[in-house]
Amino acid sequence: MNVDEILNFPSVQMLLKRLPHFQLTALSASCTERLFPCTEAFSETGFEAGVVALRSVLDRVWEQLLGDPISSGEREELEKRILEATPAEQALLAEPQALQLQLAALAAEAVAACFEGCVWRRRDRLEHPPRLALAAIEKVARSRAESGRRPTREEIELHPLTLRELRNLGDDAMVLETEPWLTLAFLERFRRSARGECGERSCTVDVFR
């Protein structure tokens, strides 16, 4: 099941399509925050700098939403950080904790997609983090299936992590649609909630618990 197949939930497709660009950017950043804890696996390979770099990129997305625009020069620097932030694929697959590192790579890809969608105003990139979150859940479900059995599509769709992530996406969209102007105070609260600072959210896949 590839990334595009896993997000063929009609309700999610409608949710993403109906949000204006600014609201979609906030939703994409919130979804990326839920995946971000997975990047901590990079630290286990001695790649702590990658985690710090990715954090700084995602922070700048939020800061642009809060009114601090990203200049063209800074954009180029942040794009460079993204390229340097993920260990080589060979290194990821060689490690014994390969699943955690694959999830970390998905989280890094979500940061890149969210950033590109924000600075280039590309809806297709902003819509990518939800796909990556559900792809991460599919990887976890497959790893936990008995005897390495590949989960069916129905099992993925009904998996508790999938249902929770879909609920989070729906809640984000509902909140964003009720605040069409997205004031700075609202965005700051929304960012804190997305990061779990209000005790309301957790990592998409809970792999470190």
Side-chain angles (χ1 to χ4, degrees):
M1 187 179 299
N2 63 37
V3 169
D4 290 324
E5 288 175 340
I6 204 169
L7 199 65
N8 283 331
F9 296 93
S11 59
V12 176
Q13 295 286 7
M14 291 176 61
L15 175 155
L16 296 174
K17 297 301 181 188
R18 73 177 184 240
L19 288 175
H21 172 81
F22 200 75
Q23 280 85 346
L24 181 60
T25 304
L27 180 140
S28 181
S30 179
C31 182
T32 302
E33 288 286 359
R34 291 193 294 276
L35 264 178
F36 194 84
C38 293
T39 64
E40 290 298 325
F42 287 157
S43 298
E44 299 177 19
T45 63
F47 211 67
E48 292 87 349
V51 180
V52 174
L54 292 168
R55 179 73 265 173
S56 68
V57 173
L58 186 53
D59 284 347
R60 285 302 284 128
V61 171
W62 285 112
E63 289 162 6
Q64 174 151 305
L65 281 168
L66 287 162
D68 184 8
I70 299 170
S71 67
S72 58
E74 185 183 8
R75 184 193 70 229
E76 293 175 1
E77 172 60 29
L78 292 171
E79 288 172 341
K80 182 179 178 182
R81 288 185 200 176
I82 292 170
L83 289 174
E84 297 174 348
T86 307
E89 183 176 357
Q90 295 87 339
L92 296 180
L93 295 176
E95 292 293 330
Q97 64 274 34
L99 172 63
Q100 283 85 349
L101 290 171
Q102 289 172 29
L103 298 176
L106 288 176
E109 188 178 346
V111 172
C114 183
F115 175 76
E116 292 168 10
C118 176
V119 297
W120 296 112
R121 295 187 63 83
R122 288 184 54 183
R123 292 188 64 91
D124 62 324
R125 296 300 284 158
L126 291 174
E127 293 174 3
H128 203 48
R131 294 183 172 89
L132 294 169
L134 294 171
I137 292 168
E138 192 267 346
K139 284 183 177 293
V140 172
R142 186 188 304 178
S143 73
R144 295 175 180 173
E146 295 181 2
S147 303
R149 180 180 59 83
R150 189 184 184 92
T152 66
R153 179 181 180 83
E154 182 179 15
E155 288 173 328
I156 297 298
E157 290 179 349
L158 297 177
H159 193 284
L161 292 176
T162 301
L163 297 176
R164 188 181 69 180
E165 183 59 26
L166 292 175
R167 183 173 65 250
N168 284 335
L169 286 169
D171 289 348
D172 280 348
M174 182 176 67
V175 169
L176 290 166
E177 287 185 314
T178 61
E179 294 282 344
W181 302 112
L182 299 191
T183 65
L184 295 184
F186 168 83
L187 280 170
E188 188 55 53
R189 290 195 305 272
F190 189 75
R191 175 170 66 167
R192 291 183 63 239
S193 174
R195 291 180 174 180
E197 295 174 9
C198 304
E200 299 171 1
R201 298 294 177 88
S202 58
C203 178
T204 295
V205 290
D206 292 336
V207 290
F208 302 109
R209 297 189 174 187

